[in-house]
Amino acid sequence: MGRDGSPLRDRVIFVEGAPRSGTTWLVTLLATHPEIAGVQAESHLFDFGVDRLFDNIEGRDPVFRGLQLYLDREELVDLVRDLCDGVLTAMRTHVSNGSTPPFVVEKTPISGRTDSFDLERKRDVYPDAWYIHIVRDREAVIRSLMRAPWMPDRSYAACAAHYDYTVDHARETLGDLPRYREVSYEDLRSAPAAFCQELFEWLGVEAGEDVLETVRVLSSEHFSDLGAAPPAARPTPGLRSRLSKVRATLQRPASADPGEPGDALAFYFVQALHERDGEALRSLTTPSFELLYRSADGDLSLHDEEARAALVMLAEDTFARRYVDERWISPGGGRSSWWSSAPGNPLVTVFFSAIGGDATRVDFAIALDVENELVRRAIVISAGPLAGRPVVAAGKGAGAAS
């Protein structure tokens, strides 16, 4: 099919920007529109995906250039378009809950490497796409980058150079496209509903008052995005032995080591829940495991194998679909909160908050009662059904959102 016959022709939106410029926030707002599908996760389709295909055919390596004998670059561009369309279409299927929004939105912050060709290649593959370049105050981005743990050099000079290159590179590479639009982060933040309405009109999608109200509500929220990340120290030998099989299937940052036994256990429990890994969840619980579930739909109190089966079902109900915005929040600046549930037994609490592609919200808190380095009891407090509930402004009743 290629570019001319693409099923997503004129229907792909790329949010561009330097890291820490609001790309995630903007995608979250756009993707809650019923005609736009997207997730906040970065696909890295071009800088960590099809880049090697282009490197091969463009002869950027003196040895690995065999694709030049198979096809020319224009043919490759059309094939890459088919591949990327397939990835974006799959994302739309996972996030849309049965509907088929005509637009898809993707964001991957612009690479700061001067030898990167991701933007040029994206432009070649998607000349018909809509490019929204969000630009934030230079000093604010630099200060944020100086705190970013993934920056190889967090000096002021290096972060300033990173900002200057990425912003200038986007303007130079994409600025002459008819569907390129630059927006100010600060202006968008000052009047999010009005600016999003302009963007929706530019894209040609209708934005009723219900859509704009969702934008207003989400724009006023501030999440502490701590992820399922463990603190820095090592687990006890006993826990290391018990979780060896779990670690083999669940990934964590190579540089991050769990701290106290409860912290380590909570980290692996959250990972297993998110990955819907029933075997791992069962391995992390005591034989006499208890699950207490509290929600507006009703209460459950289950024990032993019945409780473990219900925990696996809870994971399936919650994480079988993708979310536009997904956050794990832990009070206390990154560490779990601790209370004494019994002498020597910690109670670890984490919170999950997510926005679905249908603009519904899922929130719940999980308290893990730890005994002998395993979860003895999980207490789940859910704010509404796991399938999601309407996003409404503070002070409005559930009926006001209908």
Side-chain angles (χ1 to χ4, degrees):
M1 292 180 288
R3 289 159 289 183
D4 292 338
S6 168
L8 293 179
R9 184 170 178 80
D10 306 319
R11 291 294 181 264
V12 176
I13 307 164
F14 289 114
V15 171
E16 305 291 350
R20 301 300 176 96
S21 292
T23 55
T24 298
W25 175 63
L26 180 53
V27 164
T28 299
L29 299 184
L30 293 176
T32 52
H33 191 288
E35 294 187 41
I36 302 174
V39 295
Q40 65 166 218
E42 301 155 8
S43 71
H44 292 277
L45 264 174
F46 287 87
D47 64 342
F48 196 68
V50 299
D51 55 331
R52 286 303 181 95
L53 291 171
F54 281 103
D55 288 344
N56 188 320
I57 205 163
E58 292 171 1
R60 299 194 180 277
D61 186 276
V63 176
F64 302 114
R65 54 201 306 175
L67 281 184
Q68 294 176 346
L69 303 176
Y70 287 72
L71 72 170
D72 59 36
R73 191 180 187 279
E74 283 299 295
E75 291 174 300
L76 178 66
V77 168
D78 279 332
L79 290 171
V80 169
R81 175 62 180 254
D82 293 341
L83 172 62
C84 293
D85 278 358
V87 172
L88 296 174
T89 300
M91 178 274 294
R92 179 178 65 182
T93 299
H94 286 296
V95 81
S96 302
N97 297 325
S99 63
T100 307
F103 283 87
V104 295
V105 60
E106 190 276 345
K107 68 98 182 178
T108 299
I110 301 167
S111 172
R113 292 174 29 232
T114 56
D115 61 343
S116 174
F117 296 91
D118 51 309
L119 278 188
E120 291 87 348
R121 292 161 176 174
K122 185 185 295 184
R123 173 186 170 133
D124 290 346
V125 175
Y126 283 95
D128 53 298
W130 307 77
Y131 294 89
I132 303 175
H133 181 198
I134 184 168
V135 179
R136 188 181 178 187
D137 175 74
R138 182 176 184 269
E139 289 301 312
V141 174
I142 292 171
R143 289 193 299 270
S144 185
L145 289 175
M146 290 174 70
R147 298 190 299 269
W150 41 262
M151 281 292 289
D153 182 349
R154 285 185 277 175
S155 67
Y156 181 91
C159 293
H162 190 97
Y163 175 91
D164 292 339
Y165 172 76
T166 52
V167 172
D168 292 344
H169 186 45
R171 288 169 173 164
E172 294 169 359
T173 306
L174 307 172
D176 63 338
L177 290 173
R179 289 174 173 168
Y180 170 86
R181 182 163 182 158
E182 185 172 307
V183 298
S184 162
Y185 171 88
E186 286 73 25
D187 289 347
L188 192 61
R189 179 60 78 180
S190 67
F195 275 85
C196 281
Q197 185 174 23
E198 290 185 12
L199 290 176
F200 292 142
E201 290 175 354
W202 179 59
L203 295 166
V205 296
E206 184 177 350
E209 184 55 33
D210 56 338
V211 172
L212 298 180
E213 180 63 15
T214 299
V215 170
R216 293 187 189 99
V217 173
L218 296 182
S219 298
S220 65
E221 295 190 354
H222 299 278
F223 292 104
S224 174
D225 186 5
L226 303 174
R234 294 192 176 278
T236 62
L239 184 61
R240 183 182 297 111
S241 174
R242 291 179 184 229
L243 300 184
S244 60
K245 184 168 66 173
V246 177
R247 284 200 196 94
T249 59
L250 301 179
Q251 296 183 356
R252 61 185 173 90
S255 60
D257 289 316
E260 299 296 329
D263 280 346
L265 183 59
F267 168 67
Y268 289 115
F269 187 91
V270 164
Q271 287 290 84
L273 193 69
H274 192 273
E275 297 298 324
R276 313 193 306 280
D277 189 331
E279 182 180 355
L281 285 170
R282 290 183 173 90
S283 300
L284 296 172
T285 59
T286 63
S288 58
F289 173 66
E290 179 183 8
L291 175 66
L292 301 177
Y293 181 83
R294 303 288 185 259
S295 76
D297 293 336
D299 300 339
L300 284 176
S301 179
L302 303 173
H303 296 80
D304 306 328
E305 189 55 37
E306 190 177 18
R308 279 184 283 273
L311 182 64
V312 174
M313 187 178 300
L314 183 149
E316 286 288 345
D317 288 346
T318 307
F319 299 108
R321 62 183 175 129
R322 275 66 163 178
Y323 295 98
V324 172
D325 180 84
E326 182 178 314
R327 312 288 174 122
W328 288 97
I329 306 168
S330 175
R335 295 185 64 90
S336 302
S337 293
W338 294 78
W339 293 274
S340 178
S341 57
N345 290 344
L347 186 69
V348 189
T349 305
V350 292
F351 299 86
F352 175 74
S353 181
I355 301 294
D358 53 357
T360 57
R361 187 197 306 277
V362 176
D363 293 278
F364 58 76
I366 305 178
L368 303 178
D369 188 358
V370 180
E371 180 181 82
N372 296 326
E373 301 173 343
L374 291 174
V375 177
R376 181 175 71 91
R377 178 188 294 113
I379 306 166
V380 181
I381 310 296
S382 179
L386 297 177
R389 67 191 194 282
V391 175
V392 297
K396 290 191 176 183
S402 59

